[in-house]
Amino acid sequence: MPTTVVSLLLAIVFALPGHIYHRITQRKRPERVETATQEILATIFAGIVIDFVAVALLGVVAQATSLAVPDFSRMLLGAGRYTSSHLPLVTAWSAALVGTAIGCAVVASLTPWDRALPKVLRQRRDDRLRRTQSQQSAWWLLFHEHRDADIHVGCTLDDGSYVAGRLHSYSRAPVESSDRELTLRGEILYRPAGEVDAAILHDVNAVSISARRLILMTVTYVVPSTAAPQSTP
């Protein structure tokens, strides 16, 4: 554990960017069963790489603008003494490093350049990840097959009834458990068991479906520019 102000600052610089990167990327991938050691190592490794990039960027800026920079050799020999005598300079560069590292972590985790990749390259990457990555649930694979499309889901339940609507949320748990649930929103189409015709439930805006009740699930990908027809099996 950090025992001084300098060691606390170094811990924040190393850990915070990796933690932010790890948390944001978790939203874009299925949940994984990881040990505490695996999570800590992944966070530290990501933080070190991001800090290295941030230091390189600040070094380029310092060279281009001739800004005063801390003497890192003196800081390593006596961090407390050097910091106390050059507090404004060290504080400014520490804040710049933390801010730049956090910015790099956010940019790297959001991958804004992903949409600029050619469709063929994205398809090959997704196919490779689908084959090689473990702990990906069937729901995750189906609902991320076409990320730019609206996803319409039709569910046949164990009592013979049918319900359909636009996907709202779903469990990202890697274990294919019957305790999982998915939710649908928008115009909810429902057909009772034993009936032929389905009807929209006008007073219902969302519905939750337990995986233990599912017998068959159909997924329709609809590009936003087209109409979203709803069919009944």
Side-chain angles (χ1 to χ4, degrees):
M1 294 295 293
T3 56
T4 64
V5 175
V6 176
S7 60
L8 177 61
L9 178 61
L10 291 176
I12 293 175
V13 170
F14 278 109
L16 185 59
H19 176 71
I20 292 175
Y21 175 83
H22 194 64
R23 296 296 296 179
I24 295 178
T25 53
Q26 279 184 331
R27 301 177 183 178
K28 304 169 59 178
R29 67 185 185 186
E31 292 182 359
R32 297 175 181 274
V33 180
E34 294 181 342
T35 64
T37 302
Q38 290 175 321
E39 187 171 353
I40 291 173
L41 290 176
T43 300
I44 293 176
F45 178 76
I48 292 175
V49 173
I50 292 170
D51 287 334
F52 179 81
V53 174
V55 170
L57 291 175
L58 290 178
V60 172
V61 172
Q63 289 292 332
T65 58
S66 300
L67 291 175
V69 297
D71 190 335
F72 293 103
S73 59
R74 292 178 58 188
M75 184 179 295
L76 291 175
L77 294 175
R81 185 167 56 254
Y82 181 86
T83 301
S84 61
S85 59
H86 300 81
L87 186 59
L89 181 63
V90 173
T91 301
W93 276 96
S94 299
L97 177 59
V98 173
T100 304
I102 292 175
C104 291
V106 172
V107 171
S109 57
L110 293 178
T111 58
W113 57 85
D114 186 68
R115 294 181 181 272
L117 292 175
K119 186 177 180 179
V120 175
L121 293 181
R122 281 187 293 171
Q123 185 65 43
R124 289 180 179 176
R125 180 201 58 190
D126 293 341
D127 290 342
R128 180 179 180 276
L129 292 177
R130 190 183 300 110
R131 293 192 307 268
T132 58
Q133 286 191 355
S134 60
Q135 301 184 17
Q136 294 192 81
S137 71
W139 286 4
W140 175 271
L141 293 174
L142 287 174
F143 299 149
H144 280 255
E145 186 68 23
H146 300 284
R147 302 178 186 179
D148 297 331
D150 291 331
I151 300 175
H152 295 261
V153 180
C155 302
T156 301
L157 306 183
D158 56 0
D159 62 353
S161 60
Y162 174 81
V163 61
R166 180 179 295 180
L167 179 67
H168 179 62
S169 67
Y170 63 95
S171 170
R172 297 184 297 132
V175 180
E176 304 284 357
S177 170
S178 59
D179 295 329
R180 298 182 302 167
E181 290 191 352
L182 61 86
T183 60
L184 308 178
R185 61 182 174 89
E187 293 186 340
I188 304 300
L189 189 68
Y190 179 69
R191 185 192 65 198
E195 299 290 334
V196 177
D197 298 325
I200 294 176
L201 303 178
H202 296 288
D203 296 329
V204 177
N205 301 111
V207 63
S208 176
I209 302 171
S210 173
R212 70 176 66 250
R213 300 294 307 278
L214 282 171
I215 299 298
L216 173 68
M217 182 174 69
T218 61
V219 180
T220 303
Y221 308 105
V222 181
V223 293
S225 59
T226 63
Q230 195 65 263
S231 60
T232 305

